[in-house]
Amino acid sequence: MNRSIIIFLLVAFTNVYSQTLELNTGWQFKLDRGTLCFDWQTVNLPHTWNDKDAFDDEQGYFRGLGIYQKLIFLDDEKSELIHYLKFNGVNQYAQVYLNGKFVGEHKGGYTAFSFNITPYLSFNEYNLIEVKVDNSHNDNIPPLDADFTFYGGIYRTVQLISVPKQHISKSDFASDGYSIDYDYVDNKKVRVTLTVNVNNLSDFKSSNFLKIILNDADKNKLIVHTEKLELLPNNQKKLKIKLDEIQNPKLWSPESPYLYNLEISLLDNSENILETNYSSVGFRWFNLDAEKGFFLNGKPYKLIGVNRHQDYEGFGNAVPIELQKQDIHLIKNMGANFIRFAHYPHSRELYDLCDRLGILVWSEIPIVNKVSNSKEYFETCLNMQKEHIKQYYNFPSVVMFGYMNEIFLRLAFDNKLSESERENTKKTSVILAQKLESLTRKLAPNRLTVMALHFNEMYNETGIADIPMLIGWNLYFGWYHDKINDLGSFLDDQHQRFPNRSIMVSEYGSGADTRIFTTTPKKYDFSLDYQFLLHKGYYNQVTKRDYVVGMAAWNFADFGSEFRGDAIPHVNQKGLVQYNREPKDIYYFYKANLFKDQPFIHIGTSNLRGLSLVNQDTYPVKIYSNQAEIEVFLNDEILSKTSVNNGFVIINFPFTNGSNDIFVKSGQISTQSTIDVHKTDNFQAMKINDRIGINIGAHFNFYDTENQITWLPDRVFTQGLYGHKNGEVYLANKDNHQGIPNNIKNTTAEPLYQTMLMACTDYKVDVPNGKYKIALFFVEPKIKSKDQNLYNLNSYNQSKDSHSKDRRIMDIIANGQLFIKNLNLAEEFPDKYGVKNSFEIDIRNNTGLEIRLKPIEGEIVISGILIEKIQ
């Protein structure tokens, strides 16, 4: 049940009531671009103006001023009430006006804020609400820099809260107006203290009652407590109420999320209810041990879960709440017991759902990557943490309040700073961390404080890692640096050097595109197969180390990051599910290891679209299950009866040419999948309308929705098939086997263009005689891209050659015929454009197709060949 819902009540005799109205429909909106001011349009909330421009081919997205207006009508009957206008999320700076008068401002895009608008209202007529929203960079408002898109707009609900003049406070940092503290919890008894702020905004003294009821999950009343209040005029009273001790409590945990229900009602002197607020209450206790990790209700408990960003494909951050709730259900159904809401507070409804489903929560504010050394910035950060703690304090699922993420990241990669500037930045960051830590411990004494660090020794050298109760290491061994198995050595080293520190792995992961699959996964190839290797490696290394509190995969879902130029530009693809929330195979690896409620089997073939086996008899398929043993059938014949270890098994399937049916069962459960396979060991069998696509320079298959084909991986030429006769793979980063990490303009087939062969002058495909349409695909790798990816950490300070134009001129010759003369990619295309050159050719005399790329100046590159037989 949602906490802080003010129930609509018509009270006999007094004719006063409390109500909350959502003001989400029929807003007028326009962007203000200075001299160009867009026309008004009608929008509904939630709303963002960056749901499209943050994903187009143009660099950047609009960060500036948007203006919202709405008319509301209030009749005279409501003139005796106090009216609050509450905004649950506006990114990032808001100014609110009512009937042309300035009401207030708010800094920060991820916490709620409210204003008492009663003095500005006119009754029995329409009132104009105007909200000016600005998501421009502001040195005094975090986040200053981050690997996610800063969508502008009013992207959460707006509410008009109308209450009697005596009411539970609505002005305490837009919080519930009360807090629930668990003074003591164990298996035998619980002691709870409530702190309630009650306002009297009338000009007269008021006598009231505060009634508190605690019910169990079956609605049985366990505690009924009534407090008599004498409220001074235009004043607030804070009450601390110790409830009766509760014996033999039912404890809350992810495995058994038992919730009690708390009702807090304010009554008038005649005991008529003025308002009632509801909160879920979960009795649990937790602590940290530097040797044994996290403890829940007195027992060791490994936290395994995910990070989550709030945006969604097609919506930006203005996501309908029901879609957001589906995320939490997906996370729970994966078997996770932990969520880090990164890097900012998310919608309160999701915390409520974590209470009910049983998921432990790390919640934090968005002080990310860097800080400003200004009084105003410090004040904004501290105020943001006050809002955060007060608004999210009463959720029993929340066990951690965080306040910084990778705060030295920009410092570590910025070589332009002087040594004194670097030292001042370190000192500023430590001072801010100390202030935030002190504030958090004061406001949330029964929660853990936490900070996330990136892979850098500065956190140890400055001592900032010793400030919070728990530190999370964001680690990308095997992705941005080093190897997957280096994770364990790093953790052991940190534990040995700092034995009194509690640590967890707060981020880890690898980018994965569901269009890419391979039998030879390599670092930074964006294949699902490499994602599997990395997550499996991390899971094994963390779970066997008791001192590691837990692990949170980065990320639950792919999310928007406009600056990125990965396999899908503007999207960070490290998700366990896609941007549209369709699970990737790695989701089922976790489900197989964590989900115990019911048996399941998943066959990992959903991404194997257009599978072609070239001179290959079998193909490995992963099968995920939480069962100990499975039976595997191919085309109605039993293939294997095998044990399942660590949640998966890999079966080499001897597929036949054409349609193949896979059937897997274990006991009473079963599942099946059908996959179409094309097998060939000689291209001489090519028929009319057959197409062959070759992803030159790539070791992986790539399913291309744009060209409706699966591109084959490259190979060295062998008779009867295809391949290059010379050249080498072009790598922007040789350690990571990385192609060019950039958005390729005018295409959605980035994995085709981002990989290429360099200095390849001869390429042959042994197709039979006939007439063919040939397309060759190119991109200039070294021209400076306008959207250079600052968040690809392994190339942040790399490649001066990427900032220059290389002259790369070539002639294209096919079977001795010159088709294209003096192709100069850098001269003809001012950015990284996907270039496609097509021609038709007759192949005779059983020569096959021979492509010659003749260098005129510089080293030539080529990314792909598409061959279609038309006669």
Side-chain angles (χ1 to χ4, degrees), residues 406-552:
E406 300 184 350
I407 205 62
F408 291 141
L409 184 69
R410 292 299 100 190
L411 181 64
F413 288 97
D414 191 346
N415 294 327
K416 296 179 182 179
L417 292 177
S418 68
E419 191 59 34
S420 62
E421 288 173 326
R422 294 174 68 82
E423 289 305 312
N424 286 335
T425 299
K426 291 177 186 178
K427 290 178 182 177
T428 297
S429 301
V430 171
I431 291 169
L432 179 58
Q434 289 170 335
K435 288 180 177 294
L436 287 164
E437 177 73 14
S438 177
L439 175 69
T440 305
R441 292 198 187 203
K442 178 182 177 181
L443 295 182
N446 57 1
R447 299 302 210 282
L448 303 176
T449 60
V450 63
M451 176 194 301
L453 324 174
H454 83 284
F455 177 58
N456 194 286
E457 188 61 23
M458 270 193 284
Y459 297 98
N460 294 323
E461 293 170 349
T462 60
I464 200 170
D466 293 315
I467 293 174
M469 300 175 186
L470 171 68
I471 62 168
W473 283 105
N474 298 346
L475 301 173
Y476 291 91
F477 290 98
W479 187 245
Y480 292 129
H481 55 83
D482 299 303
K483 297 178 181 178
I484 295 170
N485 288 334
D486 291 330
L487 169 71
S489 299
F490 173 82
L491 294 172
D492 290 343
D493 175 69
Q494 291 296 309
H495 182 55
Q496 183 177 9
R497 291 169 59 194
F498 307 99
N500 296 321
R501 228 187 245 172
S502 292
I503 63 174
M504 70 175 295
V505 181
S506 45
E507 290 183 22
Y508 65 97
S510 64
D513 189 325
T514 58
R515 301 173 296 174
I516 296 174
F517 55 97
T518 179
T519 57
T520 57
K522 299 180 181 180
K523 183 163 60 173
Y524 228 87
D525 64 8
F526 282 86
S527 69
L528 295 186
D529 307 276
Y530 188 80
Q531 187 183 41
F532 168 78
L533 291 179
L534 187 141
H535 280 266
K536 176 174 67 74
Y538 273 61
Y539 181 81
N540 291 338
Q541 292 173 83
V542 170
T543 53
K544 74 178 184 181
R545 287 171 165 81
D546 290 342
Y547 67 84
V548 180
V549 164
M551 59 195 301

Side-chain angles (χ1 to χ4, degrees), residues 15 42 44 57 77 83 201 204 254 261 375 448 471 474 567 583:
N15 197 33
T42 302
N44 294 330
D57 263 351
E77 291 182 3
H83 303 275
L201 298 189
F204 305 98
N261 181 257
K375 180 181 178 182
L448 303 176
I471 62 168
N474 298 346

Side-chain angles (χ1 to χ4, degrees), residues 648-677:
F648 74 96
V649 64
I650 300 175
I651 304 291
N652 287 307
F653 282 87
F655 292 122
T656 59
N657 200 46
S659 181
N660 290 261
D661 295 320
I662 300 172
F663 179 79
V664 183
K665 71 174 184 176
S666 177
Q668 300 300 310
I669 66 165
S670 64
T671 189
Q672 59 186 14
S673 176
T674 298
I675 180 171
D676 291 323
V677 178

Side-chain angles (χ1 to χ4, degrees), residues 768-787:
N769 292 339
K771 187 172 184 179
Y772 292 85
K773 183 176 180 180
I774 310 297
L776 303 180
F777 298 80
F778 304 91
V779 68
E780 170 52 58
K782 290 191 176 182
I783 193 170
K784 182 178 179 180
S785 177
K786 294 177 183 177
D787 62 351

Side-chain angles (χ1 to χ4, degrees), residues 53-73:
D53 70 339
F55 301 94
D56 60 24
D57 263 351
E58 298 304 314
Q59 181 193 12
Y61 56 103
F62 181 73
R63 296 192 66 182
L65 184 63
I67 302 172
Y68 294 83
Q69 291 185 351
K70 182 175 176 60
L71 292 171
I72 58 170
F73 184 90

Side-chain angles (χ1 to χ4, degrees), residues 275-328:
E275 66 168 306
T276 299
N277 292 259
Y278 296 94
S279 274
S280 296
V281 173
F283 298 130
R284 75 288 178 272
W285 80 95
F286 49 86
N287 61 282
L288 294 170
D289 184 286
E291 282 295 329
K292 298 180 181 179
F294 181 81
F295 281 71
L296 179 65
N297 298 332
K299 298 177 181 178
Y301 196 87
K302 187 75 78 174
L303 302 177
I304 301 178
V306 297
N307 290 265
R308 177 191 183 264
H309 266 300
Q310 67 185 357
D311 61 327
Y312 197 109
E313 185 177 45
F315 294 96
N317 63 345
V319 186
I321 194 61
E322 292 306 317
L323 277 182
Q324 296 195 55
K325 288 179 180 180
Q326 288 181 22
D327 281 4
I328 309 304

Side-chain angles (χ1 to χ4, degrees), residues 304-307 326-339 359 508 535 539 551-553 555-557 575-577 583-597 600 626:
I304 301 178
V306 297
N307 290 265
Q326 288 181 22
D327 281 4
I328 309 304
H329 285 285
L330 273 170
I331 292 167
K332 182 66 177 181
N333 289 338
M334 188 183 83
N337 59 26
F338 178 75
I339 291 178
I359 304 177
Y508 65 97
H535 280 266
Y539 181 81
M551 59 195 301
N555 193 280
F556 163 64
L576 308 185
V577 304
K584 302 177 187 179
D585 279 353
I586 196 62
Y587 174 90
Y588 297 103
F589 167 78
Y590 284 101
K591 184 166 184 173
N593 281 283
L594 303 175
F595 187 74
K596 307 301 181 185
D597 291 353
F600 94 100
N626 56 6

